[in-house]
C-alpha cells in the first residue's frame, strides 16, 4: 500500500454544510438529478450538487503544488485524471508546470465543456467512464489521480477502476469520501447525492489491498 495523504482535506474543511437541511429537502429527487452529472449537478441549485462550481484562481494551487512535488512531476511527465470534471486542478497544475502532458476523462459533458481554455488547449479530454477498461497501455502515465469519483461506483465497478488505475500508472493518488464514526456516517449519508459506496476507512484500505491497488490515498470526512 501507498501513503495516506492530506492534500485536499484543508479545502474540504473550509466549506460549511447543512446536513439535516439537505436530508429533508426531497433528497431522493435531488439524488436522481445529481446522478445525471450535467448542468444541475455542477451549476444548478445547491440542492442538486455544487450549486455553481466556478474557477477560483489559486484555490486548487496548494493541491497542484503538492502533487507536482510529491510525485516528482516535470515537463514531459504524463498525468491522467480519472473523473476530471471541470479540470480546475489540472489548470493549476499547468500553471505550475506548463510542460505536463495531461489526459483527463469524465462522464459529464457539461463538466468537460466547462474546463478552462488553458486546459482545453493543452490537455486531451474525453468522455469516458471510470469503471470501464482504460484505453491506455500499461504504465502509460507518470501519475494517475482520481478525486471524489471512486465512491460514486458500486463495489464490482471499483474492482475495475482500481485495477485500471494501478495498471496504467507508475504512481497513483486517489481521494474519496469515507467516515470514522457513526456521526460522520450519518453526516455523509445526509449530504452525499451521488455516493454508491459507503465504507469506513478500514473497509476502503481492505478493498485497496483486495483489488491490488498500491498507490497513495486520502479520505475526506463530514465532521
Amino acid at each position: 500500500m501507498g501513503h495516506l495523504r492530506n492534500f485536499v482535506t484543508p479545502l474540504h474543511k473550509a466549506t460549511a454544510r447543512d446536513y439535516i437541511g439537505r436530508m429533508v429537502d426531497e433528497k431522493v429527487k435531488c439524488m436522481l438529478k445529481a446522478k445525471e452529472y450535467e448542468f444541475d449537478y455542477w451549476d444548478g441549485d445547491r440542492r442538486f450538487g455544487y450549486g455553481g462550481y466556478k474557477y477560483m484562481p489559486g484555490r486548487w494551487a496548494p493541491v497542484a503544488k503538492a502533487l507536482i512535488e510529491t510525485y516528482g512531476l516535470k515537463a514531459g511527465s504524463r498525468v491522467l485524471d480519472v473523473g476530471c470534471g471541470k479540470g480546475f486542478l489540472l489548470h493549476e497544475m499547468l500553471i505550475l508546470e506548463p510542460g505536463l502532458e495531461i489526459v483527463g476523462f469524465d462522464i459529464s459533458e457539461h463538466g468537460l465543456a466547462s474546463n478552462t481554455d488553458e486546459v482545453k488547449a493543452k490537455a486531451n479530454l474525453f468522455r469516458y467512464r471510470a469503471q470501464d477498461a482504460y484505453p491506455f497501455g500499461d504504465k502509460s502515465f507518470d501519475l494517475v489521480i482520481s478525486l471524489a469519483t471512486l465512491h460514486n461506483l458500486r463495489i464490482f465497478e471499483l474492482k475495475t477502476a482500481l485495477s485500471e488505475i494501478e495498471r496504467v500508472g507508475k504512481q497513483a493518488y486517489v481521494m474519496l469520501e469515507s467516515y470514522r464514526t457513526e456521526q460522520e456516517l450519518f453526516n455523509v449519508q445526509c449530504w452525499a447525492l451521488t455516493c454508491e459506496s459507503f465504507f469506513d476507512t478500514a473497509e476502503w484500505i481492505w478493498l485497496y489491498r483486495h483489488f491490488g491497488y498500491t498507490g497513495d490515498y486520502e479520505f475526506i470526512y463530514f465532521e
Side-chain angles (χ1 to χ4, degrees):
M1 281 291 296
H3 298 284
L4 176 64
R5 299 297 184 180
N6 189 49
F7 300 151
V8 179
T9 295
L11 279 181
H12 174 71
K13 287 185 173 182
T15 300
R17 299 173 179 86
D18 178 4
Y19 299 119
I20 301 300
R22 173 164 283 187
M23 175 59 79
V24 300
D25 182 22
E26 297 185 293
K27 179 80 185 297
V28 174
K29 175 183 176 181
C30 294
M31 288 169 61
L32 292 172
K33 177 56 68 174
K35 288 180 181 182
E36 296 174 3
Y37 294 106
E38 294 302 339
F39 174 84
D40 288 300
Y41 174 70
W42 297 103
D43 294 314
D45 194 281
R46 178 67 162 154
R47 65 204 295 259
F48 299 128
Y50 286 100
Y53 189 50
K54 309 300 182 184
Y55 175 63
M56 299 172 62
R59 176 174 172 78
W60 284 95
V63 180
K65 184 174 185 288
L67 291 173
I68 289 171
E69 292 181 351
T70 301
Y71 300 107
L73 303 179
K74 56 186 182 298
S77 295
R78 302 192 73 220
V79 178
L80 171 65
D81 189 345
V82 175
C84 63
K86 290 192 174 187
F88 297 156
L89 173 58
L90 299 180
H91 181 92
E92 297 294 342
M93 292 178 73
L94 286 169
I95 289 176
L96 294 173
E97 181 45 80
L100 291 175
E101 296 182 19
I102 300 289
V103 178
F105 64 76
D106 201 278
I107 61 171
S108 172
E109 290 183 356
H110 180 77
L112 292 170
S114 301
N115 271 249
T116 65
D117 291 341
E118 175 87 5
V119 175
K120 290 177 181 177
K122 293 186 175 182
N124 174 18
L125 305 175
F126 60 99
R127 195 177 187 204
Y128 204 76
R129 303 197 314 167
Q131 62 268 47
D132 292 335
Y134 300 169
F136 309 110
D138 296 354
K139 306 307 176 188
S140 298
F141 295 92
D142 297 287
L143 176 66
V144 180
I145 61 175
S146 182
L147 282 71
T149 294
L150 297 184
H151 54 250
N152 296 326
L153 306 182
R154 292 167 291 180
I155 191 167
F156 53 87
E157 295 171 325
L158 282 168
K159 178 179 181 180
T160 300
L162 287 166
S163 297
E164 286 295 276
I165 289 171
E166 178 77 15
R167 180 182 68 80
V168 304
K170 298 173 186 176
Q171 303 177 94
Y173 158 78
V174 300
M175 179 277 286
L176 47 76
E177 297 170 357
S178 186
Y179 65 93
R180 298 161 295 188
T181 65
E182 292 302 313
Q183 184 64 59
E184 290 177 355
L185 172 58
F186 175 79
N187 290 347
V188 70
Q189 288 175 329
C190 286
W191 188 256
L193 295 167
T194 57
C195 183
E196 297 285 353
S197 292
F198 292 93
F199 300 128
D200 68 21
T201 53
E203 291 171 315
W204 275 114
I205 291 170
W206 185 91
L207 283 172
Y208 291 153
R209 290 175 174 153
H210 185 67
F211 293 146
Y213 174 72
T214 63
D216 292 349
Y217 54 95
E218 181 174 1
F219 304 112
I220 55 172
Y221 304 107
F222 295 80
E223 301 178 71

